[in-house]
Amino acid sequence: MVRNEARRTALLDAAIDVLAQEGARGLTYRAIDAKAEVPAGTASNYFANRDELMSNVMTRVHERLMPSDESVAESLALPRDRSLTVKFMHDIIKRADADKACYLAMMELRLEATRRPEIRKALTKTIADNIEANVAFNEESELPGDRMTVVSLYFAMTGLIYERLTLPDVVATMDLDELVEVMVNRAIG
């Protein structure tokens, strides 16, 4: 059977929405088909089992959250200093705000990884590879800070984004610009 890549992507986007709205327990082929508005049984034709589906969802989440090449090039035209690192952190927050479903789906995948070794293995590799890519980008772009700066900022930003998504009132009274700037300044040292 020849697979339609546009339909496969639409099914993965629907799965992300289902995960974000219903959690991992609500992620069924039927729910995905309904969300994607395709005939019943379509999702099961594209993904043989739950592990394959979740692995593909994980990849799609990362694709959707990646900055555009144009955006990165535009930013790298600026001076390579702390203010550029602050800008990159704000860009991460903007992408999270623009696609909350992806971060919520990723939270669900992380929770599922605590119960399913196959997903834990795949997600661990994906996140570790992502951190290494960020470290390499920081070095190649000659941005301030070392490996520990990048790792510290990764964990700080992940926590901040998840807090803003799940308990927004906790950070609502804080000045986001100041918070990001302090995080960057402390991480860079």
Side-chain angles (χ1 to χ4, degrees):
M1 169 188 234
V2 175
R3 299 249 160 97
N4 177 329
E5 282 305 309
R7 179 168 276 187
R8 182 180 177 284
T9 299
L11 290 166
L12 290 170
D13 289 339
I16 289 168
D17 288 342
V18 170
L19 267 175
Q21 294 166 1
E22 306 296 329
R25 290 186 185 266
L27 186 66
T28 63
Y29 289 137
R30 182 176 294 153
I32 295 167
D33 290 339
K35 187 61 133 174
E37 299 178 349
V38 296
T42 301
S44 64
N45 288 329
Y46 282 80
F47 309 103
N49 56 53
R50 188 172 179 85
D51 288 339
E52 181 184 337
L53 171 65
M54 290 196 149
S55 176
N56 281 273
V57 166
M58 188 175 18
T59 300
R60 180 65 181 145
V61 163
H62 281 88
E63 288 171 359
R64 282 176 43 175
L65 291 175
M66 289 298 293
S68 70
D69 291 340
E70 297 81 21
S71 164
V72 173
E74 204 174 277
S75 293
L76 289 176
L78 300 170
R80 314 277 172 100
D81 57 14
R82 285 180 196 225
S83 63
L84 181 56
T85 302
V86 169
K87 181 188 182 319
F88 277 128
M89 297 306 106
H90 278 293
D91 289 348
I92 292 169
I93 292 171
K94 287 176 188 166
R95 287 195 309 278
D97 287 346
D99 197 348
K100 292 176 182 175
C102 274
Y103 274 95
L104 292 171
M106 183 54 73
M107 288 172 63
E108 289 294 333
L109 287 169
R110 286 171 183 259
L111 290 171
E112 194 70 10
T114 66
R115 297 178 284 274
R116 299 174 65 117
E118 309 82 26
I119 293 173
R120 180 181 312 125
K121 183 179 177 184
L123 189 56
T124 297
K125 180 178 180 349
T126 299
I127 298 299
D129 288 350
N130 189 35
I131 290 171
E132 289 307 315
N134 285 323
V135 169
F137 174 81
N138 197 73
E139 289 172 0
E140 291 163 12
S141 301
E142 299 178 355
L143 291 165
D146 59 8
R147 173 183 195 75
M148 287 308 291
T149 301
V150 175
V151 172
S152 297
L153 285 172
Y154 171 83
F155 288 116
M157 291 300 294
T158 301
L160 176 60
I161 288 167
Y162 287 147
E163 208 67 48
R164 290 182 75 233
L165 286 173
T166 60
L167 300 170
D169 292 342
V170 170
V171 293
T173 61
M174 297 177 193
D175 181 322
L176 187 61
D177 293 333
E178 178 185 13
L179 182 58
V180 169
E181 192 161 330
V182 166
M183 285 177 7
V184 169
N185 287 336
R186 291 194 178 164
I188 290 174

